[in-house]
Amino acid sequence: MEEEESETTSWSPVQRERLFTFTSISDISGQVDEAIADSGTAKDAEEPSNKRVKPVSKGTGLASLMGPVKSTSLKRIGQSISRSISFKTEARPFPAAPLRPRVKNTPSKRRNSLLWSDTVESISEELSAKEIKRQEVIFELTQGEQQLVDDLSLAKKAYYEPMLKLDIMTENELMQIFGTLDSLIPIHEDLWNRLQTLRGSEGTVHEVGPTLMEWFPCLDSYITYCCNLVAAKALLDHKKQERRVDEFLRLCQESSFSRKLDLWNFLDLPRSRLVKYPLLLKEILRHTSSEHPDLPHLEEAMELIQRIVGQVNSKTGEAESQYYQSSLCFQDDNQRLPEIQHSRLLHCHGELKNSKGQKLHVFLFELVLVLTRPVSHSEVLQFQVYRQPIPIADLLLEELPDGEVGMGGSFRGAFTSTNDRAKNFFRVSSRGRWKGQAHSLQASDSFNKQQWVSCIRQAIISFKDQLNSSHRSLLNQSADSSLDDIADLSIDSDDKVGVDVEMS
């Protein structure tokens, strides 16, 4: 009755801290070439060895942008798309490539973390503790820009250029995966240079607000980049099935220049940086006194960056929804509900099991709930629609106590405890056109179940609020038109009376 997919992921992508560093970008090419040369001389089939090999951590899969992942937040398209956008789990795990014993375990390098107070010879006694904190946050903003420029340049030099040169991927594929990343480097170099010039002779920055106000509009270019992240992640995961791609990426991840991060970590850095600006600005504001001339500029800058992040977030959500809509495969035309096409947003999506223990991938769009089974095609993962989608207008949700659902029989399930398999269920059903359709769905744990239940409830509430708002708007328009009609009638009657008076 229902089919498969893989395990459910965390609600939102986990942001990884910057813990490592490299000496200089000029060292990268040599390390990449050396790693590639090592892989070229290695034999495809190695002799048996009794050495224990520590597996290298792999990058997350397509459902890494899955979830249930809240799509309406960029902290998801990472905090995914990501959600994911970060989006952690593979919808369908691919066979792991054989690992070669590592000859040498390269120690990871930590990125040097400096404080503003470490960069000045002496701190003026005139600076209050609050002002010192303010300078520290401004310095963190400046240092973060430098690190981002270094990391984006590294992604270009250590990944894009070698893969193009060695024909590991085609130029078109690399352009799809890297998107407009190259155009972001000069944008952040510009802010980095501006912030450096603001430092006075004593190492302090008097006003940073005007500079940020002038620079923040450049972040509009993030709309294009972030909207491409979901498709980029899907293509990257698909290409990792190819041995040459997977081995190259693993060699890079093992090398010291990558700081043990995979390619996706670098591609997702701009998104995570974007959502950090409001947090940094909030901290600067917190340590800015009410008499400081920078205060009104910082408040304006905060409003501006929040508006920009909201716009990028909205467009990214729409792009993610469109991407997954295009990935749906329908068994018949009755499944092609208009609610799917009209959904601008994807509230959440992820893997659940049915009462038979079969895995499904469930999408909660703005206007419809769609159950699917993942199918692998030649290019990217697609999702075959399972049963009939349920419009949010007809959706009923019911939480089920543990042990209430009877588990269906399967050979593998026969060896699993009933108590273990009958937990964390909830039921969705339809009361409208497709009345009688019901699905008992099982989450991976109680926390994941509550995430799904909360997300579905919120989607139903949002739909009702939108419906009520539209209804009130129609009533207001109807009332306004009625008043206009009355006014027109009144004017007409006045004119008629005037005419009658003149005639008499």
Side-chain angles (χ1 to χ4, degrees):
M1 194 169 143
E2 295 163 351
E3 264 276 342
E4 337 192 334
E5 239 207 12
S6 58
E7 304 163 16
T8 319
T9 71
S10 56
W11 182 261
S12 59
V14 178
Q15 295 183 358
R16 302 190 182 182
E17 296 179 357
R18 304 168 178 272
L19 299 178
F20 313 103
T21 187
F22 58 89
T23 50
S24 67
I25 293 179
S26 60
D27 299 334
I28 294 167
S29 295
Q31 296 183 34
V32 175
D33 294 340
E34 182 182 348
I36 295 169
D38 291 342
S39 72
T41 57
K43 294 180 180 179
D44 291 342
E46 297 185 356
E47 295 180 2
S49 170
N50 57 5
K51 282 189 176 181
R52 298 183 65 185
V53 180
K54 183 178 180 181
V56 179
S57 59
K58 305 270 257 186
T60 55
L62 168 63
S64 169
L65 292 148
M66 301 179 179
V69 177
K70 283 196 174 181
S71 319
T72 54
S73 167
L74 277 173
K75 294 181 180 178
R76 147 214 119 126
I77 201 138
Q79 197 195 16
S80 90
I81 179 233
S82 7
R83 104 203 292 281
S84 35
I85 226 196
S86 190
F87 317 93
K88 301 252 178 222
T89 36
E90 287 203 3
R92 178 168 259 194
F94 302 115
L99 295 177
R100 298 181 299 105
R102 291 178 61 182
V103 178
K104 184 176 174 183
N105 186 14
T106 307
S108 58
K109 296 183 179 180
R110 290 183 177 272
R111 171 164 267 156
N112 296 328
S113 181
L114 286 175
L115 297 175
W116 169 78
S117 52
D118 297 330
T119 65
V120 293
E121 293 184 5
S122 61
I123 300 177
S124 172
E125 295 181 358
E126 297 179 0
L127 294 179
S128 64
K130 192 170 186 177
E131 181 60 29
I132 292 174
K133 287 281 189 182
R134 170 183 152 86
Q135 294 300 323
E136 293 286 6
V137 183
I138 294 174
F139 182 75
E140 182 185 350
L141 172 65
T142 306
Q143 194 177 37
E145 290 304 301
Q146 178 185 359
Q147 292 172 352
L148 182 62
V149 168
D150 289 343
D151 283 338
L152 298 186
S153 301
L154 171 66
K156 178 183 176 182
K157 190 170 183 65
Y159 290 94
Y160 184 96
E161 292 178 358
M163 284 194 287
L164 180 61
K165 183 179 179 181
L166 298 171
D167 290 328
I168 293 175
M169 289 193 204
T170 67
E171 185 175 6
N172 185 52
E173 288 170 337
L174 288 170
M175 288 177 66
Q176 289 181 56
I177 290 172
F178 283 80
T180 57
L181 181 140
D182 196 32
S183 67
L184 302 181
I185 297 175
I187 291 176
H188 290 280
E189 281 180 333
D190 179 43
L191 178 59
W192 178 26
N193 292 330
R194 292 191 192 200
L195 292 174
Q196 286 180 309
T197 58
L198 292 178
R199 293 192 67 169
S201 56
E202 296 183 351
T204 59
V205 175
H206 184 55
E207 291 186 42
V208 71
T211 298
L212 295 177
M213 279 289 296
E214 187 178 339
W215 181 81
F216 276 154
C218 298
L219 295 175
D220 284 341
S221 58
Y222 265 63
I223 293 176
T224 303
Y225 183 79
C226 290
C227 285
N228 182 61
L229 282 177
V230 178
K233 185 69 170 68
L235 179 58
L236 177 60
D237 288 337
H238 173 71
K239 295 299 293 182
K240 282 181 181 178
Q241 298 176 70
E242 298 178 14
R243 182 176 176 180
R244 289 189 70 209
V245 175
D246 181 66
E247 186 164 328
F248 175 84
L249 294 178
R250 286 193 300 110
L251 287 171
C252 287
Q253 190 172 354
E254 292 174 17
S255 301
S256 59
F257 67 79
S258 71
R259 309 194 309 280
K260 309 305 179 190
L261 303 179
D262 63 18
L263 175 57
W264 175 249
N265 293 130
F266 289 102
L267 296 176
D268 193 45
L269 282 173
R271 182 209 54 77
S272 59
R273 181 64 179 174
L274 177 64
V275 298
K276 194 171 182 180
Y277 286 123
L279 303 177
L280 289 169
L281 214 52
K282 182 179 179 180
E283 279 300 297
I284 297 175
L285 273 166
R286 193 161 69 92
H287 298 295
T288 302
S289 63
S290 56
E291 310 86 37
H292 202 292
D294 203 19
L295 184 63
H297 302 300
L298 289 171
E299 291 174 340
E300 287 185 53
M302 175 63 91
E303 292 179 7
L304 178 58
I305 189 59
Q306 287 178 333
R307 186 164 62 250
I308 291 172
V309 171
Q311 290 171 351
V312 176
N313 182 40
S314 176
K315 294 295 183 182
T316 303
E318 292 178 14
E320 185 185 19
S321 179
Q322 291 171 6
Y323 174 80
Y324 284 115
Q325 287 176 30
S326 66
S327 299
L328 298 178
C329 301
F330 299 92
Q331 298 182 48
D332 60 66
D333 289 338
N334 288 333
Q335 294 178 328
R336 297 178 182 273
L337 299 186
E339 286 88 346
I340 297 176
Q341 186 178 359
H342 295 158
S343 292
R344 296 178 300 105
L345 301 175
L346 175 63
H347 289 301
C348 65
H349 61 101
E351 296 164 7
L352 296 168
K353 293 180 181 179
N354 64 11
S355 57
K356 288 188 175 182
Q358 297 170 328
K359 296 175 183 177
L360 299 173
H361 197 89
V362 181
F363 294 93
L364 181 61
F365 290 101
E366 181 182 23
L367 302 175
V368 63
L369 179 75
V370 184
L371 280 65
T372 71
R373 297 181 290 193
V375 289
S376 183
H377 282 287
S378 57
E379 296 195 0
V380 291
L381 190 69
Q382 291 192 317
F383 302 89
Q384 185 178 74
V385 176
Y386 174 78
R387 299 298 177 84
Q388 192 65 29
I390 304 176
I392 300 296
D394 301 329
L395 182 62
L396 295 174
L397 171 67
E398 180 185 1
E399 284 195 70
L400 301 176
D402 290 344
E404 180 172 313
V405 177
M407 302 299 293
S410 67
F411 180 76
R412 184 169 52 184
F415 298 95
T416 307
S417 164
T418 302
N419 288 337
D420 291 339
R421 293 184 291 120
K423 292 181 178 179
N424 309 314
F425 270 90
F426 61 94
R427 181 177 291 130
V428 292
S429 57
S430 175
R431 62 183 169 192
R433 295 169 265 179
W434 313 104
K435 189 175 182 180
Q437 181 181 193
H439 304 276
S440 296
L441 302 173
Q442 183 184 33
S444 58
D445 52 45
S446 59
F447 178 69
N448 193 261
K449 171 187 173 180
Q450 286 306 315
Q451 289 176 327
W452 272 103
V453 169
S454 298
C455 195
I456 293 174
R457 280 179 178 160
Q458 187 57 49
I460 294 172
I461 292 171
S462 298
F463 176 80
K464 289 180 178 178
D465 290 344
Q466 187 177 4
L467 201 63
N468 291 335
S469 177
S470 300
H471 183 62
R472 284 194 298 269
S473 178
L474 288 173
L475 287 176
N476 291 335
Q477 290 178 8
S478 176
D480 290 342
S481 62
S482 298
L483 290 173
D484 290 340
D485 292 341
I486 293 171
D488 291 340
L489 287 172
S490 176
I491 292 171
D492 290 343
S493 61
D494 290 344
D495 291 342
K496 192 171 182 181
V497 169
V499 172
D500 291 340
V501 170
E502 288 177 6
M503 289 179 65
S504 62

